Amino acid sequence: MTNLKINPVRLASQLEMHRSGRTGWLRAAVLGSDDAIVSTASLMIGVAASSAPKLATLIAGVAGLVAGAMSMAVGEYVSVSSQRDAEQADIGLEKRELASEPQAELQELALIYVNRGLKPELAMKVAEQLSAHDRLGAHMRDELGINQASLARPLQAAWISATSFASFAVVPIAALLVAPAVLRIPMIAVCSLLSLAALGAFGGHLGGAPLGRAALRVTLGGALAMTVTAVIGRILGVSVGG
């Protein structure tokens, strides 16, 4: 028989290397920061392209920052709350089934392990041991696919999205403030696209994805949005001004 020796310190460090536990807050932070730069910069470029004065472009940027941060917070809270409600409903149903039909639920858990490749006798032993340790946790993880550590957190998603949006919406606003009059649009676009590329690469690093691909996709998307709003702003500026 092989003696299995577990080093708790090494095991903890290996568990920390996995990135799936970051999914909730990472999604909210990346979404908030990327959306902040793209939407605020595009709004400001569209206004500037219409030949509006610097003050009007600045007001549009600040208004976009405040409105966007609030919108992200509310949107994330509602979305993640719906996910949380669905998770809690499934957990509540599982609790009732465990209380009313414990043997049937034990067999159901064992069948899951059989379908994963264990022999029926071993599958039943595994199900019994896991149920003795944490019956609900075993069913949440293996039957429902829900991990306690990754449960939806609406408030966390809301404040992270709002904070990241408000922080990164400052980038195009700062570019406007320091840019000469003739370079307002290029400065906003360049600073915003460089920030998007850096954020894309950073998000790829945290998520374990290729840095170049992660940076490229968000930069191209941002460039497209800024180009479209610049064209629309220019058309409206000419037509209204004319």
Side-chain angles (χ1 to χ4, degrees):
M1 178 180 293
T2 302
N3 293 325
L4 179 62
K5 296 182 179 180
I6 298 177
N7 186 326
V9 176
R10 183 178 180 182
L11 178 60
S13 65
Q14 289 177 332
L15 291 174
E16 290 172 357
M17 291 175 62
H18 293 283
R19 297 175 170 88
S20 58
R22 302 169 174 169
T23 302
W25 67 263
L26 178 60
R27 172 187 169 277
V30 171
L31 181 62
S33 55
D34 288 349
D35 189 40
I37 295 176
V38 173
S39 61
T40 308
S42 298
L43 174 63
M44 294 174 66
I45 288 174
V47 173
S50 69
S51 300
K54 180 179 180 179
L55 180 59
T57 306
L58 177 62
I59 292 173
V62 174
L65 182 155
V66 176
M70 296 300 295
S71 176
M72 288 294 296
V74 173
E76 280 294 305
Y77 183 81
V78 171
S79 174
V80 179
S81 291
S82 298
Q83 178 185 345
R84 178 78 172 194
D85 291 343
E87 291 174 345
Q88 293 299 328
D90 284 341
I91 293 173
L93 176 61
E94 194 63 32
K95 286 180 178 179
R96 292 191 294 272
E97 290 177 346
L98 286 171
S100 61
E101 300 178 341
Q103 192 59 36
E105 287 297 306
L106 180 64
Q107 293 175 354
E108 184 179 11
L109 190 61
L111 181 59
I112 292 173
Y113 301 139
V114 170
N115 291 334
R116 291 180 181 177
L118 295 183
K119 294 182 178 180
E121 298 79 7
L122 179 58
M124 181 55 73
K125 289 182 180 180
V126 171
E128 289 173 346
Q129 291 187 19
L130 290 177
S131 296
H133 173 68
D134 182 4
R135 186 172 60 169
L136 178 60
H139 283 269
M140 285 175 56
R141 181 181 60 253
D142 295 322
E143 182 181 347
L144 304 178
I146 298 175
N147 191 301
Q148 189 68 36
S150 60
L151 283 172
R153 295 176 174 83
L155 288 177
Q156 181 192 64
W159 76 259
I160 286 178
S161 293
T163 302
S164 60
F165 190 102
S167 300
F168 285 92
V170 173
V171 171
I173 294 175
L176 170 69
L177 293 176
V178 301
V182 295
L183 295 177
R184 287 174 188 168
I185 293 178
M187 279 285 287
I188 293 173
V190 169
C191 291
S192 298
L193 291 175
L194 288 176
S195 299
L196 283 174
L199 280 171
F202 181 64
H205 169 70
L206 291 179
L211 304 188
R213 185 175 66 187
L216 181 62
R217 63 192 178 196
V218 69
T219 304
L220 289 178
L224 177 61
M226 294 175 202
T227 301
V228 171
T229 53
V231 171
I232 294 174
R234 181 61 178 170
I235 293 173
L236 292 176
V238 170
S239 61
V240 174

